[in-house]
Amino acid sequence: MEIKQSVLEIFENNPNTYLSGESMAKKLYVSRNAIWKAVNELKKDGYDISAVTNKGYCMNSNSGILSRQSIEKYAGRTDYDINVYKTLDSTNDTAKEAAEKGAKEWTVIIAEEQKAGKGRLGRHFCSPSGTGLYMSIVLKPTLPAAKAVFITAAAAVATAEAIESVSGRKAQIKWVNDIYCDMKKICGILTQGVVNMETGFFDYAILGIGVNVFRPEGGFPKEIEDIADAVFYEKAGNEDARSRIAAEILNRFAEYYRHIEEKTFVDEYRRRSFILGHDINVIKPNKTMPAVAKNISDDCGLVVEYEDKSTETLSSGEVSIKIKR
């Protein structure tokens, strides 16, 4: 572990406590100058650390900065390989690169900001600095690629439960991969993977989850301001919310994933779906077809009924709904 991460771990294990450079240097078997450099690097990363002569260094525990330590504190386990970056183009792309190099399952890539965050169908995912949780997980599923929707659906349930647990707000699911609170989108989920064409199974899959935890300063971009929202309206008092949500998502999804083919998440996925019984549009490559969302199948497909009374179970694709507020 690099010195900076070791110093951060000491601070997070001793919140709001002054620690001398000498004591930390002895603990880590390094020089006081190495501690000084590590503290300055942490300050540049945004950590609120004060220095007082004859007292030492103290980190404000309410800084709200994401780190491996801040997430593990709430996760209660350390078997996730959590890697936090200040800025990335895309956490999914970085996770893919890691997977190609042999990264183990449960390698977790998190960024404070994404320059080219990805949504479904090649869309851009707005990812401003310091306000959201942008996380991708390397998975090595043993299920066929044809059942990839199980991963997305299980993640949607885990994320909705996590948001509700941390914030107290009711979180619902728009098939197949969006989470809404009060009829506004607060989260998108994207599952990508590499499939062995001979076996039809995954070599690996990347699960990307983007949550708007706080509203960005100045609001959301104009093109999404009417449909997007954040979990919390105020950052004050909720500084650690991103770490708590990340930990809750990881733990809840890990439990569903462990028994993924048993589909223990399907009933909850169905219960949280807010489009069932409503008029929707099924968006296909060359046309849009009005329909009614009738049910969620046991394989997480969306059962729709068209105007001519014919039915179809969608295993992938996109639907839209006119939300009444």
Side-chain angles (χ1 to χ4, degrees):
M1 186 187 299
E2 62 177 304
I3 296 174
K4 182 174 77 170
Q5 291 300 319
S6 298
V7 170
L8 177 59
E9 187 168 349
I10 292 173
F11 278 133
E12 293 197 327
N13 288 334
N14 298 273
N16 304 313
T17 302
Y18 278 94
L19 303 165
S20 72
E22 183 179 3
S23 67
M24 287 193 285
K26 286 181 178 179
K27 185 178 181 67
L28 298 178
Y29 301 100
V30 298
S31 67
R32 290 178 63 182
N33 188 56
I35 298 296
W36 177 81
K37 287 182 178 178
V39 168
N40 281 326
E41 288 176 11
L42 289 170
K43 285 182 178 180
K44 289 178 182 178
D45 287 345
Y47 289 93
D48 182 7
I49 301 173
S50 57
V52 176
T53 303
N54 297 325
K55 290 183 72 175
Y57 304 106
C58 177
M59 187 175 81
N60 177 3
S61 64
N62 293 322
S63 63
I65 299 293
L66 281 167
S67 70
R68 175 177 61 82
Q69 291 84 358
S70 72
I71 295 167
E72 287 179 348
K73 177 172 65 176
Y74 293 107
R77 48 192 285 188
T78 59
D79 53 334
Y80 306 123
D81 182 9
I82 298 173
N83 304 269
V84 181
Y85 300 84
K86 189 168 185 179
T87 302
L88 290 175
D89 284 341
S90 160
T91 59
N92 261 33
D93 285 351
T94 301
K96 283 181 196 174
E97 291 170 8
E100 289 289 347
K101 294 176 181 176
K104 68 178 184 179
E105 189 167 51
W106 295 107
T107 295
V108 181
I109 305 296
I110 295 174
E112 281 278 355
E113 176 185 26
Q114 291 185 114
K115 295 295 188 182
K118 294 183 178 181
R120 291 183 70 240
L121 306 176
R123 296 191 183 104
H124 172 70
F125 187 87
C126 179
S127 313
S129 176
T131 63
L133 171 65
Y134 318 120
M135 175 169 70
S136 296
I137 307 167
V138 175
L139 301 172
K140 305 288 179 69
T142 57
L143 77 168
K147 295 183 179 180
V149 68
F150 291 3
I151 298 173
T152 305
V157 173
T159 302
E161 290 177 336
I163 289 167
E164 205 164 280
S165 173
V166 173
S167 70
R169 297 182 67 190
K170 183 178 181 181
Q172 296 177 287
I173 300 169
K174 174 181 173 286
W175 187 89
V176 61
N177 67 329
D178 294 332
I179 310 298
Y180 279 63
C181 283
D182 297 323
M183 294 296 114
K184 284 199 169 184
K185 181 177 174 179
I186 58 167
C187 169
I189 298 169
L190 176 65
T191 304
Q192 299 176 303
V194 171
V195 179
N196 185 313
M197 299 304 292
E198 290 186 5
T199 65
F201 284 74
F202 285 105
D203 286 341
Y204 64 81
I206 306 297
L207 172 64
I209 301 171
V211 184
N212 302 327
V213 181
F214 306 114
R215 289 175 173 171
E217 188 174 345
F220 289 98
K222 188 172 182 62
E223 60 269 22
I224 62 171
E225 64 182 2
D226 291 335
I227 60 172
D229 204 354
V231 177
F232 291 95
Y233 299 138
E234 299 290 339
K235 196 169 187 177
N238 300 303
E239 288 86 356
D240 63 348
R242 293 187 301 159
S243 294
R244 292 170 61 199
I245 290 173
E248 287 280 350
I249 291 172
L250 287 169
N251 285 349
R252 290 170 186 271
F253 176 71
E255 187 60 30
Y256 287 129
Y257 181 75
R258 188 184 309 164
H259 310 287
I260 190 126
E261 293 202 75
E262 296 176 20
K263 299 181 284 189
T264 57
F265 52 87
V266 173
D267 285 344
E268 187 64 12
Y269 185 82
R270 191 179 286 127
R271 188 183 74 80
R272 288 182 182 269
S273 175
F274 68 84
I275 68 172
L276 295 184
H278 292 281
D279 293 332
I280 61 171
N281 285 318
V282 177
I283 302 170
K284 298 201 171 188
N286 299 314
K287 58 182 175 180
T288 298
M289 301 176 66
V292 176
K294 303 295 285 187
N295 199 2
I296 302 291
S297 74
D298 288 342
D299 286 332
C300 303
L302 179 65
V303 181
V304 300
E305 180 180 270
Y306 296 111
E307 291 179 322
D308 63 1
K309 301 303 179 184
S310 64
T311 62
E312 182 181 11
T313 301
L314 306 174
S315 59
S316 62
E318 185 176 14
V319 300
S320 66
I321 179 173
K322 186 175 180 61
I323 297 174
K324 296 178 182 179
R325 297 189 178 93

